C-alpha cells in the first residue's frame, strides 16, 4: 500500500496516491490478460487508425457520414489510450500504484472522452436521420461548416462539466484505504473509498449521466424510430436493405456503448459490486472501440472498396 503524508490523517490532502487492484484476484492469469489486452489494444489502434487514413485519402469517402466516422475512430483511439496502457503496465510489472494527480487526470480525461462519445453517437444518428428522412435537403443541412461545428461541439461540450465532476470527487476525504478495486480510476470505485456523506456526489453522478448519456441515447432512439418508419415506406426491398445497412453498423456501436455505460452510472450505490463494474467497463472500454473498425469494415462496401484501392497503392510504393 502506498504511504500517506505525515501531516495528518482523515484528510484528502494526506493521500499520496492509490493502488489500482485491477485483476490482482487472478494472479495466475496476469500474463494471459496482458497478452489479450495488448493484442486488442493494438488492433484498436491499427483498425481505427486505418479508418482515419482511408476517410482522409479516398475522395469517395469525403462525405459527412465518413467525416463523423473519422472523428469517432480518433475518439476511440484516445479513449482506450487513457486507461489501457496503464493497465498493461500494471499487468506486466505488477506495480499497481498511481499518484493522486495521475488518478485524477486519468478520470478527468476518461469522463471527457466518454461525454464526447455520447454526443458524437447522437450527431451520427442525426446525420443518418437527415440522409434518409430528408435526402433532398441533406447537402444543405449537413454542410461542411455544420459538420465541423457539430464535431467540435461534441469534443468540447463535456469538458467544463467533467472537470468539475472530477474536482468534486477528488475533494472528498479519503481517510481510509487507498486500494481502488478497479483497473482504472472511475467514479463508482473512487466514491466507495471516500469517508463521510457522499450522497451529493452520487446525485451529481446521476444528473450528469442523464444529461450526457440518457438524453443523447433518447435522441438516438428517436432518430432511429423515424428512420425505421421512413425505411419501411420505401417502395423496393433493395432500397430498404440498403438504408438499413447504412444504419445498422452505427446502431450496434450505440447499443454496445450506451448499454453497459448506463447501467454502470445509473445503478444505485448499494447495487455496485467491483466484479460487475469491471465487467461492464470492459464492454465500453474494449468492445466498442474494437467493434468499430470490424463493423464498419466488414459491413460497409464503401470502406472495403477504399481499402482495396489503398492497399495496392501502399504495396506498389513498397516495391519501388
Amino acid at each position: 500500500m502506498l504511504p500517506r503524508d505525515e501531516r495528518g490523517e482523515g484528510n484528502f490532502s494526506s493521500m499520496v496516491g492509490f493502488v489500482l487492484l485491477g485483476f490482482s484476484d487472478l494472479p495466475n492469469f496476469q500474463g494471459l490478460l496482458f497478452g489479450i489486452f495488448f493484442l486488442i489494444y493494438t488492433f484498436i489502434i491499427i483498425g481505427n487508425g486505418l479508418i482515419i487514413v482511408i476517410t482522409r485519402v479516398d475522395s469517395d469517402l469525403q462525405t459527412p457520414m465518413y467525416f463523423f466516422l473519422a472523428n469517432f475512430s480518433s475518439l476511440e483511439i484516445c479513449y482506450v489510450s487513457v486507461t489501457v496502457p496503464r493497465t498493461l503496465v500494471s499487468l506486466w510489472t505488477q506495480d499497481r500504484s498511481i499518484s493522486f494527480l495521475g488518478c485524477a487526470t486519468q478520470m478527468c480525461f476518461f469522463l471527457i472522452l466518454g461525454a464526447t462519445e455520447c454526443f458524437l453517437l447522437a450527431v451520427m444518428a442525426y446525420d443518418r436521420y437527415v440522409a434518409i428522412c430528408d435526402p433532398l435537403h441533406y447537402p444543405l443541412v449537413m454542410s461542411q461548416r455544420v459538420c465541423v461545428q457539430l464535431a467540435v461541439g461534441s469534443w468540447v461540450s463535456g469538458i467544463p462539466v467533467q472537470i468539475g465532476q472530477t474536482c468534486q470527487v477528488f475533494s472528498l476525504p479519503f481517510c481510509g484505504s487507498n486500494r481502488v478495486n478497479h483497473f482504472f480510476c472511475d467514479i463508482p470505485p473512487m466514491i466507495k473509498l471516500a469517508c463521510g456523506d457522499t450522497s451529493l456526489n452520487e446525485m451529481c453522478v446521476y444528473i450528469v449521466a442523464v444529461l450526457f448519456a440518457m438524453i443523447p441515447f433518447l435522441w438516438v432512439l428517436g432518430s432511429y424510430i423515424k428512420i425505421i418508419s421512413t425505411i419501411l415506406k420505401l417502395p423496393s426491398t433493395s432500397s430498404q436493405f440498403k438504408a438499413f445497412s447504412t444504419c445498422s453498423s452505427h446502431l450496434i456501436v450505440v447499443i454496445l456503448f450506451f448499454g453497459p455505460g448506463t447501467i454502470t452510472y445509473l445503478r444505485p450505490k448499494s447495487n455496485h459490486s467491483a466484479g460487475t463494474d469491471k465487467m461492464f467497463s470492459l464492454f465500453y472500454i474494449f468492445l466498442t472501440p474494437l467493434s468499430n473498425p470490424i463493423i464498419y469494415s466488414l459491413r460497409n462496401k464503401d470502406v472495403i472498396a477504399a481499402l482495396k484501392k489503398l492497399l495496392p497503392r501502399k504495396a506498389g510504393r513498397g516495391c519501388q
Side-chain angles (χ1 to χ4, degrees):
M1 184 180 294
L2 290 173
R4 294 176 183 273
D5 195 315
E6 295 181 355
R7 287 176 295 179
E9 292 290 338
N11 190 298
F12 79 91
S13 62
S14 66
M15 186 71 73
V16 173
F18 300 95
V19 176
L20 294 171
L21 296 181
F23 303 95
S24 58
D25 55 334
L26 301 170
N28 298 326
F29 296 94
Q30 300 296 292
L32 177 62
L33 288 173
F34 174 85
I36 293 172
F37 290 170
F38 179 77
L39 288 175
I40 293 175
Y41 180 62
T42 302
F43 183 86
I44 289 171
I45 298 298
I46 295 174
N48 284 284
L50 199 55
I51 287 179
I52 295 170
V53 171
I54 62 175
T55 53
R56 294 296 299 171
V57 302
D58 194 290
S59 58
D60 294 333
L61 302 183
Q62 304 298 311
T63 64
M65 174 182 172
Y66 294 106
F67 170 75
F68 291 125
L69 178 58
N71 269 268
F72 191 71
S73 294
S74 302
L75 172 65
E76 297 293 53
I77 291 174
C78 297
Y79 196 56
V80 295
S81 297
V82 169
T83 56
V84 177
R86 183 67 188 80
T87 302
L88 291 174
V89 170
S90 297
L91 289 169
W92 183 258
T93 65
Q94 299 302 300
D95 178 12
R96 300 184 177 92
S97 61
I98 185 170
S99 68
F100 188 92
L101 180 60
C103 190
T105 302
Q106 185 185 59
M107 178 188 287
C108 187
F109 278 102
F110 174 76
L111 294 176
I112 289 172
L113 294 171
T116 300
E117 184 148 353
C118 292
F119 288 133
L120 202 51
L121 286 170
V123 167
M124 293 170 76
Y126 175 69
D127 171 69
R128 292 298 83 207
Y129 163 76
V130 178
I132 293 173
C133 299
D134 193 12
L136 295 178
H137 295 95
Y138 181 69
L140 179 63
V141 175
M142 300 303 293
S143 64
Q144 184 178 8
R145 179 182 177 183
V146 170
C147 290
V148 171
Q149 289 174 339
L150 289 172
V152 172
S154 298
W155 281 93
V156 305
S157 295
I159 292 177
V161 174
Q162 301 299 6
I163 288 177
Q165 186 165 227
T166 302
C167 292
Q168 186 185 47
V169 170
F170 281 88
S171 295
L172 290 168
F174 296 102
C175 53
S177 171
N178 62 349
R179 300 167 72 85
V180 183
N181 198 356
H182 213 308
F183 59 93
F184 69 98
C185 295
D186 199 5
I187 293 178
M190 296 307 300
I191 289 181
K192 276 188 175 181
L193 293 184
C195 306
D197 183 18
T198 60
S199 57
L200 177 61
N201 299 85
E202 293 172 50
M203 185 184 301
C204 289
V205 171
Y206 294 143
I207 293 172
V208 172
V210 168
L211 291 175
F212 289 82
M214 286 303 297
I215 291 179
F217 177 73
L218 292 175
W219 177 274
V220 172
L221 188 62
S223 298
Y224 274 102
I225 290 174
K226 293 182 179 179
I227 287 171
I228 292 171
S229 175
T230 303
I231 290 175
L232 293 176
K233 295 176 183 177
L234 294 176
S236 67
T237 305
S238 60
S239 299
Q240 292 178 348
F241 178 79
K242 183 178 179 181
F244 269 122
S245 65
T246 61
C247 299
S248 58
S249 301
H250 176 251
L251 195 55
I252 292 171
V253 174
V254 167
I255 293 170
L256 291 174
F257 179 76
F258 278 109
T262 302
I263 294 172
T264 298
Y265 290 101
L266 291 180
R267 279 183 303 158
K269 182 181 178 182
S270 58
N271 291 343
H272 277 274
S273 69
T276 305
D277 285 347
K278 290 178 190 178
M279 182 186 70
F280 282 126
S281 297
L282 289 173
F283 269 90
Y284 54 78
I285 287 179
F286 281 109
L287 193 57
T288 306
L290 178 66
S291 63
N292 183 50
I294 294 175
I295 291 172
Y296 279 101
S297 296
L298 298 179
R299 296 176 58 87
N300 193 302
K301 294 180 180 179
D302 294 335
V303 173
I304 293 174
L307 278 171
K308 288 179 178 178
K309 287 190 290 185
L310 179 66
L311 293 177
R313 186 187 308 171
K314 294 294 183 182
R317 289 177 180 176
C319 295
Q320 292 178 357

